[in-house]
Amino acid sequence: MKRGLAVAGTALLALLVSMLVSVQPAHAAVGLRVSGGRVVEANGSAFVMRGVSHPHAWYSSQTGSFADIKSLGANTVRVVLSGGRWTANTSSDVANVISLCKQNRLMCVLENHDTTGYGEQSGAYTLDQAVDHWIGLQSVLTGQENHVIINIGNEPFGNNSVTPGWQAATTSAITRLRNAGFQHLIMVDAPNWGQDWAFTMRDSATSVFNSDPQRNTVFSIHMYGVFDTAAEVTDYLNRFQTAGLPLVVGEFGHDHSDGNPDEDTIMSQAQSRGIGYIGWSWSGNGGGVEYLDMVTNFNVGSLTSWGQRIFNGANGIRQTAREATIYGGSSADTTPPTTPGTPTASNVTSSGATLSWSASTDSGGSGLAGYNVYREQGPTDPQLGQSTTNSITLTGLSASTQYQVYVRARDGAGNLSGNSSPVTFTTTSGGGGGGGTCRVTFSASPWGAGQGGFTAYVTITNTGTSAVSGWSLAFALPSGHAFQQGWSATWAPSAQNLTATNLSWNGALPANGGSTQIGFNGTWSGTFTRPLSFTLNGSACTIT
């Protein structure tokens, strides 16, 4: 969690949109708006934010930064403002900021930073006070709906309980802005210093979205130490995408004092899903997080390692940003990616296989997003997995079964390629030097109330009369549970499904009682529950 002035804010694919949240609003929004769970411009072209935050509230003289940020390929700048917690930004100053955004062909996310850490940090403002600031600026904001997004309040709650809580306060803030006549796209930040580790925003987002009479609110998650694994990043994005709710990663970094965020997954998943991201921050950080500066001393010619990563790295801003059509950028990409190559199967076992294929390319300008992976077994054709690379490990397959698998690509604009030619393979009847008779002892130590973490230990015992030389244990975590990291095995998580494969030193399980123990850490929410079944090399195990 970030605290302090210059610290500023702490911190493929198939898209089934909830009909509940796509109902036409009573009053049609103007300018930038939400449509089908995505942000679009007035002409209906999808707009995916790719940009950075600029600490204007504390460095108001650094106006040249707008042109510098644009020069590195960004299409969005998130501008830090204050209504009085620090030196207040006046109407004339904000009007100039908007002008600078427009001159440099950037979409302008204006955020009130006064609310940061309310309830936990001394001096923080309420969301209601932030709305007062926006109403005071209304004369320079009205008419800018095509160019400006109003981020009501940065990280508007810390970790302490306050009344009203996030849902009620956010709903009230949206209602006040709409009643005052604001037509803009509204952005709302999560509580818990923006990281929503208690899932307050995630679980009440539908209600908050529907409280907006224009259905024109986008949710912003800040990803720092809470999001230090791929599983945590993808699960959070999945929840919003499944609900058909608009989401952006409103802040993230490559490192942080509360943990090491997985910026590679954040950026690749945002690209594959067509979700916006805004990195923290251009320059001027203090309080021990100076490593989050993208350039040194506001000098565009002095990119830091974080600046190089976010602007020039894989799935970075220069590679993936598309200028808004209102500034003359190209219209929505309608060109599908090329068809991926025929997959090849390797490491085929009784319960899994690894597939790899020649990567698709995308000439439509939206950047390669990822792949859906499908299998055919009998008359069915279920989606089996997804990947943003050109390989995937399949788990949970049945022993001695023939599978036919094909892949297709989806780009950042949602265009689908054709299906690849299929690969056909047959899983083995059992693994290693025999064995299918097994016993699993599962013990776990959960912590938290209603949600939390757990450490699990899994003892695998060969109860058969033949030795096992090489094993693969497959099981599924219950809903609401997620894998983080494991040990004493090679772990291959795929959604709720886990496969643990022996290491070089523990692959032999002697007959009649040979055993080994492995373990992993995970998270849970709802009710903590143990897995219901395990298979060893494709054969079911008894559970004790």
Side-chain angles (χ1 to χ4, degrees), residues 206-227:
T206 296
S207 175
V208 171
F209 184 84
N210 288 331
S211 74
D212 181 353
Q214 295 186 8
R215 305 297 194 272
N216 201 29
T217 297
V218 59
F219 299 89
S220 171
I221 181 67
H222 293 185
M223 290 188 165
Y224 292 100
V226 170
F227 295 92

Side-chain angles (χ1 to χ4, degrees), residues 403-493:
Y403 290 92
Q404 189 175 78
V405 183
Y406 61 93
V407 299
R408 65 178 180 180
R410 181 190 295 268
D411 66 17
N415 301 305
L416 286 170
S417 72
N419 297 332
S420 72
S421 299
V423 60
T424 301
F425 63 91
T426 301
T427 53
T428 63
S429 58
T437 307
C438 53
R439 180 177 67 247
V440 167
T441 302
F442 181 92
S443 63
S445 301
W447 60 87
Q451 61 195 20
F454 67 92
T455 298
Y457 297 94
V458 183
T459 301
I460 307 166
T461 302
N462 176 15
T463 58
T465 57
S466 300
V468 171
S469 57
W471 50 263
S472 179
L473 182 74
F475 59 100
L477 292 175
S479 177
H481 297 53
F483 174 86
Q484 287 188 312
Q485 65 273 327
W487 55 89
S488 299
T490 299
W491 291 88

